[in-house]
Amino acid sequence: MTVRADVAELLHAGYGDRTIARRLGVTAASVTAARATLGLPPGRAGHKPAGSPEDLFWRRTKPVDGGHLEWTGHRTNKGVAAIKWQGTAYTAGRIAYRIRYGEDPVGHTHAPCGYDGCVAPAHVEDSKVVTRKGRPGAGRKANADRGQIVALLLDGHTDDAIRRELRVDAKRIAVIRREEDIARAPRPVVTFAEKWAAHTVPADGGHVAWTGRRRENTPSLVYRGREYSARRAAFEEHYGREPVGNVLPGCGWEPCVRPDHLEDRTIRQALSTQLASIFGTGAAA
Ligand SMILES: [Zn+2]
Ligand SMILES: [Zn+2]
């Protein structure tokens, strides 16, 4: 299945399936399936205590058409949407604001979107906002951090690169990416052949030499996040199966890594059987 970029982001950011489902208006089952597709560990089953006021906030909301968010949680006796987390009460507006801007609001919060009771972080402002033309939030008081994050996002950096560069929370970056509707930078897809070509040179006699890294003197390469012996990886790619036993160049040139010069034990045994049937003697295996 194809995993929606926003679902993937929130999964990578560590949110639970139900939280993501509520936040993005998709089914929890689809989020669980996406998690499996991405090979991420399953979300903890059953009730999980909220890890932060922000977590709890998302659990108490329901997305509705137009990108608005309804509050399904507790209200104070004055009708204010609120949560209590680890003994401290927060208004939903305050948490929404913190999700949006990464800092506490000044004065009261409100959602100028016009949807009654909306708590969507992307719609929430505090009473200090100076509204100007442009996209929501453009006229807000200075928040260099958000601006920096947005600039790097627009520049195509990955969430992880931004997190490391600006030392900001990964969840916050994911939220800002979503609010600003900036697509995740596509991870460059490197094929095995490209990777291989980058680390090899043709050698005399039709052999191929390894120019890449070595691990304990064995040509080594990292492909799809795993470290392989370069010969084993090349063998697997060339023959479409995992090698049995050691993979060695059968061409007689000891440094050779050319895929079709490589032999595993199965091939060596088959060759020696052929030789034995031709010459009627045992050949070296
Ligand atoms: Zn709204
Ligand atoms: Zn060779």
Side-chain angles (χ1 to χ4, degrees):
M1 73 179 269
T2 309
V3 176
R4 268 174 51 167
D6 50 359
V7 173
E9 274 172 31
L10 294 180
L11 280 168
H12 284 299
Y15 289 100
D17 296 3
R18 291 161 74 84
T19 304
I20 295 170
R22 258 177 232 172
R23 218 164 128 175
L24 301 180
V26 297
T27 64
S30 74
V31 178
T32 305
R35 181 186 291 283
T37 301
L38 294 173
L40 295 171
R44 268 174 282 167
H47 181 76
K48 185 167 72 174
S52 65
E54 286 79 6
D55 273 358
L56 194 53
F57 169 90
W58 289 116
R59 293 182 191 199
R60 302 283 183 266
T61 58
K62 189 178 90 184
V64 292
D65 286 348
H68 307 292
L69 210 55
E70 280 181 358
W71 186 248
T72 60
H74 172 77
R75 287 183 184 276
T76 67
N77 54 14
K78 285 183 180 165
V80 178
I83 55 168
K84 199 168 207 182
W85 186 77
Q86 293 195 348
T88 304
Y90 302 85
T91 67
R94 178 170 169 208
I95 300 302
Y97 187 93
R98 281 170 29 154
I99 290 169
R100 178 169 194 179
Y101 294 114
E103 61 186 50
D104 283 316
V106 175
H108 292 290
T109 59
H110 66 291
C113 60
Y115 188 87
D116 196 24
C118 182
V119 293
H123 298 173
V124 169
E125 296 291 2
D126 66 5
S127 33
K128 218 185 169 187
V129 171
V130 185
T131 308
R132 288 192 210 128
K133 280 194 292 181
R135 64 168 185 264
R140 244 199 109 251
K141 65 185 189 303
N143 184 340
D145 278 6
R146 184 185 173 89
Q148 282 175 304
I149 293 169
V150 170
L152 290 176
L153 284 169
L154 289 171
D155 233 23
H157 295 265
T158 64
D159 291 13
D160 201 46
I162 297 170
R163 179 183 63 74
R164 275 180 276 122
E165 175 155 350
L166 300 179
R167 294 171 183 280
V168 288
D169 181 45
K171 288 185 184 180
R172 193 176 158 222
I173 299 168
V175 167
I176 292 174
R177 184 188 284 283
R178 179 168 143 68
E179 285 172 7
E180 299 286 335
D181 203 17
I182 300 168
R184 183 174 272 270
R187 203 177 274 184
V189 177
V190 181
T191 65
F192 182 84
E194 285 167 339
K195 192 137 201 180
W196 184 254
H199 298 304
T200 51
V201 284
D204 285 348
H207 304 291
V208 172
W210 185 251
T211 59
R213 61 202 290 253
R214 284 169 185 274
R215 188 174 179 176
E216 287 164 8
N217 219 28
T218 303
S220 155
L221 100 165
V222 175
Y223 182 60
R224 289 189 181 139
R226 261 186 67 192
E227 182 163 23
Y228 289 89
S229 132
R231 286 199 182 94
R232 293 187 76 80
F235 183 96
E236 199 168 323
E237 196 69 16
H238 182 70
Y239 291 100
R241 64 171 175 86
E242 275 189 52
V244 178
N246 287 333
V247 177
L248 299 167
C251 57
W253 189 55
E254 192 268 329
C256 190
V257 294
R258 183 169 155 162
D260 54 348
H261 287 188
L262 299 175
E263 296 172 357
D264 72 342
R265 192 197 300 147
T266 305
I267 293 177
R268 282 191 295 273
Q269 281 170 354
L271 288 173
S272 105
T273 307
Q274 282 173 23
L275 289 175
S277 69
I278 292 167
F279 300 109
T281 58

